[in-house]
Amino acid sequence: MEKLIVFGGTFDPVHNGHLRLAYAASMRFGAEVVFVPNRAPRWKKPEARAEDRLAMLKAALKEQGSPGLSMDLFEYKSEAEVNYTIDTVRYFARKYPNRQLFLLIGADQVDSFDKWKDAEELAKIATPLYVSRPDFEIDEANVNRFKMVRLSYDKAGEVSSSKVRELHSLDIPNSVISYIEEHGLYYIAKLKEYLSDKRLSHSISVAKTAFEIAKRNDIHEPARAYIAGLLHDMGKELPIDKQRAIVGEYYPDYLDMPGWAYHQFVGAHLAKSDFAIGDDEIIDAISFHATGKKHMTPLGKIIYAADKIEPTRGYDSRPLIRKCIKNYYVGFVAVLEENMAFLSQKGQNMNSNRLTRECVEMYLGADR
């Protein structure tokens, strides 16, 4: 008998963990996995509208391109105030009377399964299929009572929809990232509280440029470059007196820097305090993206360069982007040199501040 695995959820948003898990279940059981997006979940209130969650799921499945993964809009089109899983599995039992049904659930859902509506009937119609987690203790009583089947798979990753919404993970399809950007969802909506549309557009472009450079250079976790690029200018549009106050409180060693440089330290502070970014390399990259410094990390060099060469800057930066993609270090040095020459032509002496002077001396030579 052919098998069908029902995979329901809020998908707020769908992430690569969902897709990896679905693909693993499909391969393990030789079955089609059907995603069933929920319009009105019983236990939670989604952050994104149902229309947006559906659009992201459609985009992700199209990008995945696997014939073993599909989608059904039974719950999405339902006019019920609350969608109950028992109604969903009854629907699939009627639609596919000659298929053996499974219901793919998370480890946390195993323990609460006995509280689901008509749980006994549900388990008889569709065998619960669950994946254990190393940090979660499964209720074996429910496993035995409802004859659940364990899917042995541990490659889904540490990603979760909440981590994506908070910008603590970007383990999501590229199409979903683009949709979040274009429709101002989750972390983009929060970033709009700090940045004008023009500045936000620049920040998104820096993030994309930095991500591509990091990915092509095999930098560890290239999504970190995207996060640093997206948040690098968070402090740019705060009034200068507020910027100075934040620098004085949290970065007093840099109060002697020129006012235009304050925003990089303010951005680092806001990334930590308002976005809970705890990655020291991301914070360091944001902290010195405008001035540079000596002994910059690979991520710091990439963010410095991406900020200067992202495509919306208004000049043909493609040669410099190609250099960075080929070799981030060589590209960074070229960008630093071009930036110094450009500012010199405008009559600005960037070497007047100690951070840039130390950066130039280290990477371009002491005689510059």
Side-chain angles (χ1 to χ4, degrees):
M1 179 181 289
E2 289 192 13
K3 301 176 178 67
L4 180 69
I5 301 172
V6 178
F7 190 11
T10 307
F11 305 116
D12 187 28
V14 62
H15 53 68
N16 287 331
H18 292 133
L19 297 169
R20 286 190 287 262
L21 182 57
Y23 188 68
S26 175
M27 295 295 290
R28 167 66 178 80
F29 290 91
E32 176 185 355
V33 176
V34 56
F35 285 75
V36 185
N38 196 317
R39 174 181 285 276
R42 182 182 180 189
W43 303 110
K44 62 179 74 173
K45 183 178 181 180
E47 187 169 324
R49 299 180 309 159
E51 296 90 330
D52 290 320
R53 291 184 282 113
L54 176 61
M56 288 186 283
L57 180 56
K58 283 182 176 179
L61 292 177
K62 182 178 180 181
E63 183 178 335
Q64 181 79 6
S66 171
L69 308 184
S70 63
M71 180 169 56
D72 190 288
L73 300 183
F74 170 74
E75 290 190 8
Y76 182 83
K77 293 181 178 179
S78 171
E79 295 181 358
E81 185 176 345
V82 176
N83 296 136
Y84 291 100
T85 305
I86 184 63
D87 297 322
T88 301
V89 298
R90 286 170 180 161
Y91 157 78
F92 280 105
R94 293 192 302 269
K95 186 175 182 179
Y96 301 105
N98 297 317
R99 291 205 194 184
Q100 182 182 1
L101 298 182
F102 291 84
L103 179 67
L104 185 57
I105 62 176
D108 55 332
Q109 294 172 310
V110 172
D111 289 6
S112 62
F113 194 85
D114 58 310
K115 298 178 178 64
W116 291 21
K117 184 180 180 182
D118 298 331
E120 297 284 356
E121 181 188 354
L122 196 165
K124 289 178 181 178
I125 298 174
T127 301
L129 176 64
Y130 73 95
V131 180
S132 61
R133 290 197 328 233
D135 61 339
F136 195 89
E137 187 174 347
I138 295 292
D139 184 350
E140 294 295 336
N142 270 358
V143 171
N144 296 327
R145 175 182 172 185
F146 297 105
K147 296 180 173 58
M148 297 182 175
V149 175
R150 178 176 177 269
L151 173 62
S152 181
Y153 183 69
D154 59 1
K155 307 286 187 207
E158 296 299 318
V159 60
S160 67
S161 292
S162 61
K163 286 184 178 180
V164 172
R165 295 194 298 269
E166 295 164 359
L167 198 59
H168 293 169
S169 173
L170 276 178
D171 192 5
I172 53 179
N174 291 333
S175 57
V176 176
I177 293 177
S178 296
Y179 191 95
I180 291 170
E181 292 170 349
E182 292 165 10
H183 293 82
L185 303 180
Y186 310 130
Y187 48 83
I188 296 295
K190 185 173 181 178
L191 201 52
K192 284 184 175 182
E193 299 174 11
Y194 301 85
L195 300 176
S196 64
D197 289 345
K198 183 177 180 180
R199 182 61 55 182
L200 178 59
S201 177
H202 162 71
S203 295
I204 290 174
S205 188
V206 172
K208 288 181 172 180
T209 303
F211 177 76
E212 186 64 20
I213 293 170
K215 184 173 66 173
R216 297 287 287 273
N217 280 270
D218 293 324
I219 298 296
H220 178 60
E221 295 183 5
R224 295 158 68 240
Y226 182 98
I227 294 171
L230 191 65
L231 301 182
H232 80 286
D233 263 357
M234 280 184 67
K236 185 80 170 182
E237 295 179 325
L238 281 180
I240 190 64
D241 59 326
K242 290 187 177 181
Q243 291 188 42
R244 185 179 294 107
I246 290 173
V247 174
E249 182 173 357
Y250 297 100
Y251 297 89
D253 290 346
Y254 298 111
L255 262 177
D256 65 313
M257 297 297 292
W260 59 261
Y262 284 167
H263 78 278
Q264 61 185 5
F265 307 113
V266 175
H269 169 69
L270 294 175
K272 288 190 290 186
S273 64
D274 294 13
F275 277 79
I277 302 298
D279 187 313
D280 290 340
E281 281 198 51
I282 291 178
I283 298 302
D284 184 77
I286 296 172
S287 297
F288 303 99
H289 76 267
T291 59
K293 66 168 185 173
K294 62 181 178 180
H295 302 303
M296 296 177 73
T297 65
L299 187 59
K301 295 182 181 74
I302 289 171
I303 299 304
Y304 178 94
D307 180 41
K308 312 298 185 294
I309 63 176
E310 57 89 3
T312 72
R313 278 293 195 179
Y315 72 100
D316 186 7
S317 59
R318 288 175 296 179
L320 289 171
I321 292 175
R322 286 195 293 268
K323 281 187 177 182
C324 289
I325 286 175
K326 186 175 182 179
N327 184 302
Y328 80 87
Y329 185 94
V330 172
F332 160 74
V333 172
V335 170
L336 180 61
E337 191 162 26
E338 289 263 347
N339 194 42
M340 293 304 104
F342 171 74
L343 293 170
S344 178
Q345 290 174 1
K346 292 182 66 175
Q348 299 180 22
N349 182 13
M350 289 286 287
N351 284 339
S352 61
N353 79 80
R354 57 187 171 90
L355 288 175
T356 302
R357 185 166 59 251
E358 291 171 357
C359 179
V360 169
E361 290 176 356
M362 169 157 283
Y363 297 109
L364 298 183
D367 57 339
R368 292 300 297 260

